[in-house]
Amino acid sequence: QQRTVIYNERREVLLEENITLKIQGMIRSSVENQFEYCFGAEDPAEWKFDEFKNHYLGILTDEKDFKYTDEELSAIDKEAWRNELIDKALAIYHGKDSLFSSIPGVPADAMREIEKRILLENVDRKWMAHLEAMDDLKEYVGLNSYAQRDPVAIYRLESANLFDEMIDDIKEDTVRRILAGTPKMA
């Protein structure tokens, strides 16, 4: 099942002319998930400013970000703040199109090709690492069978968790690479 999901994803990326909507969805999801993780608590004292800043440092944030007084913190509208960060990330993304279109001799759709390359590289790299992790899981499950645990149930649960982590890693790495910079055109 996992192989089918990955191969279908690869096929979809290869056959699509334009994966802009997919990339934009990944960007939104990345910022929203990280925002919720770092700022989901109601009490601003529990917010993880440094973690969010470091996660996107040099991409979406810099060293000067997230310096607030107690008064400023209490006045923050979290929903508006989250949307502002998403909009900033999407503006950076759309700025890549402008950057490439301003370079003489570079095709107008260069960014579309770069997006595909980045996503496919991440899918391939993470899939290979996942297959290695699955081999390690087999050994772990084998050891658990000696402890009188159901090895099939453990394998299914753990492999599903590993797969979900891999999918999240693919999305996150793709977003970071696209927002941070782009590889050279071949």
Side-chain angles (χ1 to χ4, degrees):
Q1 290 174 341
Q2 293 175 358
R3 182 181 304 119
T4 301
V5 170
I6 290 298
Y7 287 4
N8 286 341
E9 177 69 21
R10 287 190 94 262
R11 187 177 308 108
E12 182 181 311
V13 170
L14 287 168
L15 295 176
E16 284 287 321
E17 280 291 314
N18 186 333
I19 60 169
T20 300
L21 293 177
K22 180 184 286 291
I23 299 297
Q24 288 173 346
M26 288 180 181
I27 291 169
R28 278 188 190 89
S29 176
S30 171
V31 174
E32 284 176 351
N33 291 342
Q34 193 65 23
F35 186 90
E36 187 58 35
Y37 173 74
C38 292
F39 307 119
E42 289 299 317
D43 182 4
E46 296 177 23
W47 291 354
K48 303 169 186 173
F49 291 104
D50 287 339
E51 195 162 338
F52 189 90
K53 180 171 56 177
N54 290 335
H55 186 78
Y56 291 111
L57 192 61
I59 301 170
L60 188 59
T61 63
D62 61 36
E63 289 296 331
K64 298 176 280 182
D65 286 335
F66 306 128
K67 308 279 189 206
Y68 298 107
T69 65
D70 290 338
E71 288 175 12
E72 291 170 330
L73 277 177
S74 64
I76 287 178
D77 176 349
K78 278 178 40 175
E79 186 69 21
W81 187 28
R82 181 176 57 84
N83 288 335
E84 180 182 315
L85 289 166
I86 292 168
D87 290 344
K88 184 177 178 182
L90 289 171
I92 292 167
Y93 168 69
H94 292 300
K96 301 292 180 179
D97 280 327
S98 299
L99 173 70
F100 282 103
S101 65
S102 68
I103 300 172
V106 174
D109 63 346
M111 188 61 190
R112 303 295 76 81
E113 186 62 32
I114 290 170
E115 291 168 349
K116 283 184 171 190
R117 286 184 189 185
I118 289 172
L119 182 53
L120 289 171
E121 285 174 13
N122 280 327
V123 167
D124 292 346
R125 191 169 21 93
K126 298 293 184 181
W127 176 244
M128 295 305 293
H130 177 71
L131 292 176
E132 290 175 15
M134 294 297 284
D135 285 341
D136 293 342
L137 179 60
K138 286 178 191 174
E139 290 179 31
Y140 169 75
V141 167
L143 294 174
N144 272 289
S145 65
Y146 292 117
Q148 303 299 317
R149 294 184 180 158
D150 181 7
V152 174
I154 292 171
Y155 186 79
R156 284 184 179 160
L157 178 65
E158 292 298 320
S159 68
N161 290 339
L162 286 172
F163 187 75
D164 290 343
E165 287 176 21
M166 178 197 65
I167 296 296
D168 289 343
D169 286 348
I170 288 169
K171 291 176 182 176
E172 193 61 33
D173 286 356
T174 299
V175 166
R176 292 178 61 75
R177 283 185 62 195
I178 286 174
L179 294 180
T182 52
K184 294 179 181 177
M185 293 295 290

